[in-house]
Amino acid sequence: GYTSEDPAPTQYDSVQRFAEWGFKISPLMVRAKSVEELVAHYHLIEAQRSSLGYDIDGVVYKIDQLELQRRWGFVTGEPRWAIAHKFPAEQAMTTVLRIDIQVGRTGTLAPVARLAPVTVGGVVVENVTLHNEDYIKGLDSNGQPIRDGYDVRIGDTVVIQRAGDVIPQIVSVVIDKRPPDAVPYEFPHKCPICGSPATREINEKTGKEDSRRRCTGELICPAQAVEGLRHFVSRGAMDIEGLGAENIDLFFNAGLIKTAADIFTLRDHRPAVTKALAERREEQARQREAASGKTRKNVRSVEERNY
Ligand SMILES: [Zn+2]
């Protein structure tokens, strides 16, 4: 902020003045007189990190004299009088209980490892993405080894890490703890939802196999149905006016449309369609109300309204 004069000649004393004025200050801030003291305090805070009640990713060392801060200034936006010392990403060890395959709206088979729950960085982690078939085998998208080339097997002990708000990931497999009966994971070649073959497409430009396996069921695959219906009504296909992606989602979730053919019999379900639309308008109005803090007057029930 801006002050007409410094509250004190140093940053430390200025912050102490803030406390006198009633501001809440961090009790972890200290004045250090040597590099050894700085590093000692870094380790002290690191030890308390998980019990602080808020997330931190490191500490910042600063020159205390405000006059020196001004004289040293900034270079390419970075202060020359302050430097961050980050903590290493928090890691934890746990076991892989199961590997589940989720089918996305575009038919991609996405493997997820279900883990024995473990706390990492103050958050309980139970799932971690395994990305694709090659990742499970221990290969990156260029066919280069990751995790020292070890595959992930059900029953394996793995080290996971989570840095800041980053999604948890598997760092390594603890190979010494691998159960003797653990077998390499066999990635399904069939869609677990509809049973259609799941294949890896060849990229026409690069000639390389895609790392993701996809369900070939398309319209017959319930996991892909919504995406297929969205395409069906879109401008490039049937171009059905007034029936955009939003309404498709709404009618699909309400059970009114399961296949493209159901679109043409929607008029036979007029009361249900009207109800679904009214409920969404009501929900939108409620959200606007919550966002603006204003309440509406004379709200009629969904059934009483005419649209
Ligand atoms: Zn499928």
PDB file of all heavy atoms in Angstrom, residues 61-73:
ATOM      1  N   TYR A  61      12.792 -14.787   1.783  1.00  0.00           N
ATOM      2  CA  TYR A  61      13.809 -14.031   2.513  1.00  0.00           C
ATOM      3  C   TYR A  61      13.809 -12.607   1.961  1.00  0.00           C
ATOM      4  O   TYR A  61      13.796 -12.421   0.740  1.00  0.00           O
ATOM      5  CB  TYR A  61      15.203 -14.642   2.297  1.00  0.00           C
ATOM      6  CG  TYR A  61      15.316 -16.106   2.665  1.00  0.00           C
ATOM      7  CD1 TYR A  61      15.953 -17.001   1.802  1.00  0.00           C
ATOM      8  CD2 TYR A  61      14.803 -16.596   3.871  1.00  0.00           C
ATOM      9  CE1 TYR A  61      16.074 -18.349   2.125  1.00  0.00           C
ATOM     10  CE2 TYR A  61      14.920 -17.933   4.201  1.00  0.00           C
ATOM     11  CZ  TYR A  61      15.547 -18.812   3.327  1.00  0.00           C
ATOM     12  OH  TYR A  61      15.667 -20.136   3.645  1.00  0.00           O
ATOM     13  N   LYS A  62      13.844 -11.613   2.866  1.00  0.00           N
ATOM     14  CA  LYS A  62      13.828 -10.222   2.408  1.00  0.00           C
ATOM     15  C   LYS A  62      14.889  -9.407   3.119  1.00  0.00           C
ATOM     16  O   LYS A  62      15.199  -9.668   4.294  1.00  0.00           O
ATOM     17  CB  LYS A  62      12.466  -9.570   2.709  1.00  0.00           C
ATOM     18  CG  LYS A  62      11.344 -10.087   1.859  1.00  0.00           C
ATOM     19  CD  LYS A  62      10.048  -9.373   2.217  1.00  0.00           C
ATOM     20  CE  LYS A  62       8.894  -9.927   1.401  1.00  0.00           C
ATOM     21  NZ  LYS A  62       7.625  -9.317   1.791  1.00  0.00           N
ATOM     22  N   ILE A  63      15.444  -8.421   2.414  1.00  0.00           N
ATOM     23  CA  ILE A  63      16.309  -7.423   3.043  1.00  0.00           C
ATOM     24  C   ILE A  63      15.425  -6.587   3.966  1.00  0.00           C
ATOM     25  O   ILE A  63      14.352  -6.152   3.565  1.00  0.00           O
ATOM     26  CB  ILE A  63      16.957  -6.541   1.958  1.00  0.00           C
ATOM     27  CG1 ILE A  63      17.931  -7.369   1.105  1.00  0.00           C
ATOM     28  CG2 ILE A  63      17.636  -5.324   2.561  1.00  0.00           C
ATOM     29  CD1 ILE A  63      19.135  -7.900   1.858  1.00  0.00           C
ATOM     30  N   ASP A  64      15.863  -6.388   5.180  1.00  0.00           N
ATOM     31  CA  ASP A  64      14.995  -5.756   6.174  1.00  0.00           C
ATOM     32  C   ASP A  64      14.896  -4.232   6.016  1.00  0.00           C
ATOM     33  O   ASP A  64      13.833  -3.657   6.200  1.00  0.00           O
ATOM     34  CB  ASP A  64      15.486  -6.129   7.582  1.00  0.00           C
ATOM     35  CG  ASP A  64      14.375  -5.999   8.617  1.00  0.00           C
ATOM     36  OD1 ASP A  64      13.184  -6.054   8.220  1.00  0.00           O
ATOM     37  OD2 ASP A  64      14.689  -5.860   9.806  1.00  0.00           O
ATOM     38  N   GLN A  65      16.014  -3.581   5.666  1.00  0.00           N
ATOM     39  CA  GLN A  65      16.027  -2.110   5.564  1.00  0.00           C
ATOM     40  C   GLN A  65      15.174  -1.640   4.377  1.00  0.00           C
ATOM     41  O   GLN A  65      15.478  -1.990   3.230  1.00  0.00           O
ATOM     42  CB  GLN A  65      17.469  -1.618   5.342  1.00  0.00           C
ATOM     43  CG  GLN A  65      18.423  -1.914   6.472  1.00  0.00           C
ATOM     44  CD  GLN A  65      18.299  -0.904   7.598  1.00  0.00           C
ATOM     45  OE1 GLN A  65      17.788   0.200   7.403  1.00  0.00           O
ATOM     46  NE2 GLN A  65      18.758  -1.298   8.779  1.00  0.00           N
ATOM     47  N   LEU A  66      14.144  -0.840   4.652  1.00  0.00           N
ATOM     48  CA  LEU A  66      13.275  -0.383   3.561  1.00  0.00           C
ATOM     49  C   LEU A  66      14.036   0.526   2.592  1.00  0.00           C
ATOM     50  O   LEU A  66      13.783   0.508   1.385  1.00  0.00           O
ATOM     51  CB  LEU A  66      12.058   0.351   4.134  1.00  0.00           C
ATOM     52  CG  LEU A  66      11.105  -0.522   4.975  1.00  0.00           C
ATOM     53  CD1 LEU A  66       9.967   0.323   5.535  1.00  0.00           C
ATOM     54  CD2 LEU A  66      10.546  -1.679   4.170  1.00  0.00           C
ATOM     55  N   GLU A  67      14.976   1.274   3.129  1.00  0.00           N
ATOM     56  CA  GLU A  67      15.765   2.166   2.283  1.00  0.00           C
ATOM     57  C   GLU A  67      16.597   1.347   1.279  1.00  0.00           C
ATOM     58  O   GLU A  67      16.689   1.693   0.104  1.00  0.00           O
ATOM     59  CB  GLU A  67      16.672   3.049   3.168  1.00  0.00           C
ATOM     60  CG  GLU A  67      17.527   4.038   2.419  1.00  0.00           C
ATOM     61  CD  GLU A  67      16.749   4.904   1.425  1.00  0.00           C
ATOM     62  OE1 GLU A  67      15.561   5.197   1.689  1.00  0.00           O
ATOM     63  OE2 GLU A  67      17.324   5.261   0.377  1.00  0.00           O
ATOM     64  N   LEU A  68      17.176   0.246   1.768  1.00  0.00           N
ATOM     65  CA  LEU A  68      17.947  -0.634   0.872  1.00  0.00           C
ATOM     66  C   LEU A  68      17.035  -1.293  -0.163  1.00  0.00           C
ATOM     67  O   LEU A  68      17.417  -1.450  -1.315  1.00  0.00           O
ATOM     68  CB  LEU A  68      18.682  -1.719   1.673  1.00  0.00           C
ATOM     69  CG  LEU A  68      19.965  -1.298   2.379  1.00  0.00           C
ATOM     70  CD1 LEU A  68      20.571  -2.473   3.123  1.00  0.00           C
ATOM     71  CD2 LEU A  68      20.968  -0.728   1.386  1.00  0.00           C
ATOM     72  N   GLN A  69      15.831  -1.662   0.245  1.00  0.00           N
ATOM     73  CA  GLN A  69      14.871  -2.260  -0.709  1.00  0.00           C
ATOM     74  C   GLN A  69      14.635  -1.293  -1.868  1.00  0.00           C
ATOM     75  O   GLN A  69      14.635  -1.679  -3.029  1.00  0.00           O
ATOM     76  CB  GLN A  69      13.534  -2.553  -0.022  1.00  0.00           C
ATOM     77  CG  GLN A  69      13.576  -3.697   0.979  1.00  0.00           C
ATOM     78  CD  GLN A  69      12.185  -4.079   1.482  1.00  0.00           C
ATOM     79  OE1 GLN A  69      11.181  -3.549   1.029  1.00  0.00           O
ATOM     80  NE2 GLN A  69      12.148  -4.992   2.443  1.00  0.00           N
ATOM     81  N   ARG A  70      14.459  -0.010  -1.522  1.00  0.00           N
ATOM     82  CA  ARG A  70      14.198   0.997  -2.557  1.00  0.00           C
ATOM     83  C   ARG A  70      15.416   1.166  -3.455  1.00  0.00           C
ATOM     84  O   ARG A  70      15.290   1.298  -4.665  1.00  0.00           O
ATOM     85  CB  ARG A  70      13.801   2.323  -1.926  1.00  0.00           C
ATOM     86  CG  ARG A  70      12.303   2.397  -1.626  1.00  0.00           C
ATOM     87  CD  ARG A  70      11.890   3.792  -1.211  1.00  0.00           C
ATOM     88  NE  ARG A  70      12.359   4.101   0.128  1.00  0.00           N
ATOM     89  CZ  ARG A  70      11.631   3.906   1.239  1.00  0.00           C
ATOM     90  NH1 ARG A  70      10.412   3.422   1.152  1.00  0.00           N
ATOM     91  NH2 ARG A  70      12.125   4.205   2.418  1.00  0.00           N
ATOM     92  N   ARG A  71      16.613   1.201  -2.840  1.00  0.00           N
ATOM     93  CA  ARG A  71      17.826   1.429  -3.633  1.00  0.00           C
ATOM     94  C   ARG A  71      18.115   0.256  -4.562  1.00  0.00           C
ATOM     95  O   ARG A  71      18.549   0.435  -5.693  1.00  0.00           O
ATOM     96  CB  ARG A  71      19.023   1.673  -2.713  1.00  0.00           C
ATOM     97  CG  ARG A  71      19.203   3.162  -2.413  1.00  0.00           C
ATOM     98  CD  ARG A  71      20.196   3.405  -1.321  1.00  0.00           C
ATOM     99  NE  ARG A  71      21.493   2.777  -1.557  1.00  0.00           N
ATOM    100  CZ  ARG A  71      22.445   2.696  -0.623  1.00  0.00           C
ATOM    101  NH1 ARG A  71      22.227   3.179   0.581  1.00  0.00           N
ATOM    102  NH2 ARG A  71      23.587   2.125  -0.899  1.00  0.00           N
ATOM    103  N   TRP A  72      17.878  -0.980  -4.092  1.00  0.00           N
ATOM    104  CA  TRP A  72      18.180  -2.149  -4.920  1.00  0.00           C
ATOM    105  C   TRP A  72      17.144  -2.337  -6.014  1.00  0.00           C
ATOM    106  O   TRP A  72      17.481  -2.791  -7.096  1.00  0.00           O
ATOM    107  CB  TRP A  72      18.269  -3.408  -4.044  1.00  0.00           C
ATOM    108  CG  TRP A  72      19.484  -3.418  -3.167  1.00  0.00           C
ATOM    109  CD1 TRP A  72      20.327  -2.370  -2.925  1.00  0.00           C
ATOM    110  CD2 TRP A  72      19.994  -4.523  -2.417  1.00  0.00           C
ATOM    111  NE1 TRP A  72      21.328  -2.743  -2.058  1.00  0.00           N
ATOM    112  CE2 TRP A  72      21.144  -4.062  -1.727  1.00  0.00           C
ATOM    113  CE3 TRP A  72      19.590  -5.834  -2.246  1.00  0.00           C
ATOM    114  CZ2 TRP A  72      21.889  -4.886  -0.895  1.00  0.00           C
ATOM    115  CZ3 TRP A  72      20.326  -6.658  -1.419  1.00  0.00           C
ATOM    116  CH2 TRP A  72      21.467  -6.186  -0.750  1.00  0.00           C
ATOM    117  N   GLY A  73      15.909  -2.011  -5.715  1.00  0.00           N
ATOM    118  CA  GLY A  73      14.852  -2.005  -6.725  1.00  0.00           C
ATOM    119  C   GLY A  73      14.557  -3.349  -7.373  1.00  0.00           C
ATOM    120  O   GLY A  73      14.786  -4.403  -6.789  1.00  0.00           O
TER     121      GLY A  73
END
